[in-house]
Amino acid sequence: MNTTSTHFVPPRRFEIYETTLSQVSMWEESFKNNGGIYAPNSIIIPTNGKPDSLSEDTSHGTPHKFDQEASTSRHPDKTQRRLAQNREAARKSRLRKKAYVQQLETSRLKLIHLEQELDRARQQGFYEGNRVDTNALGFSDKMSSGIVAFEMEYGHWVEEQNRQISELRTVLHGQVSDVELRLLVDNAMKHYFQLFRMKSAAAKIDVFYIMSGMWKTSAERFFLWIGGFRPSELLKVLLPHFDPLMDQQVLDVCNLRQSCQQAEDAVSQGMEKLQHTLAESVAAGNLGEGSYIPQIACAMERLEALVSFVNQADHLRHETLQQMHRILTTRQAARGLLALGEYFQRLRALSSSWATRQREPT
């Protein structure tokens, strides 16, 4: 993989909120353009209406199919084996189809069960009092099924990531060609890009859910930045695992990290500006009057920009991974992806150990 100098265009400083929204729109459009998938048209090969094997031999006056039947009669065992193989293949195909249908039915039942649990939690409520917000989990009726579907999809994503990590670990400790290793690296990269698309769709349903990191473990939430990891800090953690690096690669990685920090600062300043304007919208008018419909309507309009901030942060993560992929060799990129995956595995293990720790009696 060729090593090239990496230069991010330093983002403008977020001095006013409108400038932030225009930059968000530009980065989001770029992210959408990079996500296109080319699907070639189907190729249809025409066939003759009458196969040659069934044509008659007019020179001798005897149909050719009788010669085939005679040949088949001379080899009955071969024909029986072919028939048995066809029956076995059909049986396996039916079993695979049945297993797939059962898996879909199981997933559907799990989704129904989770929705029922959410409805039951809303009906019971989590606090005492006459004016209880029974929507205690923060989901509206229209949002609950979409968020539950995201959690299930993210669970499958983590399982696939664990499988890819195990495969990378095995391959890096063995003998494998660069072509095979490049294929594994490309699949791992596409897997992260799939997560960004999943989050973008879920943010349109409930942006606070994505921002708060409720779908992640507690240790992962401790390092959360706008619904995910902070690219510059992750580069700092992973840099020792890229060795050995050429001098130009070290310079490129350092420049990339500096560009990431500048972009993160710009996005964070935009978030602070949004928080300030949102607080002003909610607190507008006289507090204590009991009527706040105009203020809530104004705040709702401003919250639409929050989805763009999530997409902008994920676009920065997307670009950081792609830039590292260009800077590193195939084997270095494989080691980096392995280190990245194991880092998140350790955070999840830390959360599990902390949750199940033995507590001293009070």
Side-chain angles (χ1 to χ4, degrees), residues 117-118 120-129 132-138:
E117 291 293 330
L118 289 172
R120 190 177 301 112
R122 293 191 191 98
Q123 294 172 2
Q124 292 176 354
F126 283 83
Y127 302 98
E128 297 294 336
V132 176
D133 182 8
T134 57
N135 190 10
L137 295 181

Side-chain angles (χ1 to χ4, degrees), residues 309-327:
F309 276 103
V310 173
N311 291 334
Q312 188 178 4
D314 274 346
H315 182 69
L316 178 58
R317 299 178 187 106
H318 180 283
E319 289 299 311
T320 302
L321 289 175
Q322 280 198 329
Q323 292 294 336
M324 288 303 302
H325 188 262
R326 297 188 185 102
I327 293 172

Side-chain angles (χ1 to χ4, degrees), residues 134-193:
T134 57
N135 190 10
L137 295 181
F139 307 141
S140 68
D141 292 337
K142 294 181 180 180
M143 297 178 182
S144 60
S145 60
I147 293 301
V148 170
F150 169 79
E151 285 199 345
M152 293 181 63
E153 193 175 7
Y154 178 69
H156 295 319
W157 187 91
V158 172
E159 292 177 358
E160 175 62 19
Q161 186 193 39
N162 292 336
R163 187 196 65 79
Q164 291 183 354
I165 292 172
S166 177
E167 190 173 11
L168 279 173
R169 186 184 299 111
T170 302
V171 166
L172 287 174
H173 286 85
Q175 298 294 331
V176 66
S177 65
D178 288 343
V179 175
E180 295 177 278
L181 191 59
R182 187 179 299 112
L183 180 61
L184 294 177
V185 170
D186 291 342
N187 288 336
M189 293 283 290
K190 292 177 182 177
H191 193 56
Y192 281 102
F193 299 160

Side-chain angles (χ1 to χ4, degrees), residues 45-68:
I45 303 177
T47 59
N48 295 328
K50 185 176 182 180
D52 295 338
S53 60
L54 297 181
S55 62
E56 295 183 355
D57 187 356
T58 56
S59 62
H60 293 82
T62 305
H64 183 64
K65 61 181 181 179
F66 293 122
D67 294 338
Q68 288 183 329

Side-chain angles (χ1 to χ4, degrees), residues 1-244:
M1 188 174 302
N2 297 330
T3 59
T4 57
S5 300
T6 303
H7 299 284
F8 268 38
V9 178
R12 296 182 178 179
R13 191 173 186 85
F14 283 60
E15 297 180 359
I16 59 174
Y17 181 61
E18 288 74 12
T19 304
T20 301
L21 295 182
S22 63
Q23 186 176 5
V24 167
S25 177
M26 179 184 66
W27 283 6
E28 184 179 3
E29 183 65 25
S30 175
F31 174 66
K32 290 180 179 178
N33 293 335
N34 290 336
I37 299 177
Y38 170 72
N41 295 328
S42 301
I43 301 177
I44 301 176
I45 303 177
T47 59
N48 295 328
K50 185 176 182 180
D52 295 338
S53 60
L54 297 181
S55 62
E56 295 183 355
D57 187 356
T58 56
S59 62
H60 293 82
T62 305
H64 183 64
K65 61 181 181 179
F66 293 122
D67 294 338
Q68 288 183 329
E69 292 175 358
S71 176
T72 301
S73 63
R74 289 194 299 268
H75 303 283
D77 294 340
K78 185 177 181 180
T79 303
Q80 293 298 326
R81 284 197 300 270
R82 287 181 178 176
L83 291 174
Q85 290 174 355
N86 291 340
R87 287 193 296 269
E88 181 64 18
R91 186 184 67 84
K92 291 182 178 180
S93 178
R94 289 193 297 270
L95 290 176
R96 287 194 297 268
K97 181 179 180 181
K98 182 179 179 181
Y100 178 69
V101 172
Q102 290 177 345
Q103 183 180 5
L104 290 178
E105 181 65 17
T106 301
S107 299
R108 187 182 70 86
L109 293 176
K110 287 182 178 179
L111 180 59
I112 293 176
H113 176 71
L114 288 174
E115 290 179 342
Q116 291 175 347
E117 291 293 330
L118 289 172
D119 292 337
R120 190 177 301 112
R122 293 191 191 98
Q123 294 172 2
Q124 292 176 354
F126 283 83
Y127 302 98
E128 297 294 336
N130 294 328
R131 300 181 65 181
V132 176
D133 182 8
T134 57
N135 190 10
L137 295 181
F139 307 141
S140 68
D141 292 337
K142 294 181 180 180
M143 297 178 182
S144 60
S145 60
I147 293 301
V148 170
F150 169 79
E151 285 199 345
M152 293 181 63
E153 193 175 7
Y154 178 69
H156 295 319
W157 187 91
V158 172
E159 292 177 358
E160 175 62 19
Q161 186 193 39
N162 292 336
R163 187 196 65 79
Q164 291 183 354
I165 292 172
S166 177
E167 190 173 11
L168 279 173
R169 186 184 299 111
T170 302
V171 166
L172 287 174
H173 286 85
Q175 298 294 331
V176 66
S177 65
D178 288 343
V179 175
E180 295 177 278
L181 191 59
R182 187 179 299 112
L183 180 61
L184 294 177
V185 170
D186 291 342
N187 288 336
M189 293 283 290
K190 292 177 182 177
H191 193 56
Y192 281 102
F193 299 160
Q194 178 192 4
L195 176 61
F196 299 149
R197 290 191 294 269
M198 290 163 48
K199 289 171 58 183
S200 178
K204 296 177 182 178
I205 300 174
D206 190 343
V207 67
F208 290 116
Y209 175 85
I210 297 298
M211 286 285 297
S212 63
M214 294 175 61
W215 44 285
K216 286 183 171 291
T217 61
S218 55
E220 289 176 296
R221 289 197 299 269
F222 182 72
F223 297 97
L224 201 68
W225 177 74
I226 313 183
F229 60 84
R230 187 183 288 268
S232 62
E233 290 300 319
L234 207 58
L235 286 176
K236 181 180 179 181
V237 171
L238 298 179
L239 185 59
H241 301 278
F242 296 141
D243 289 336

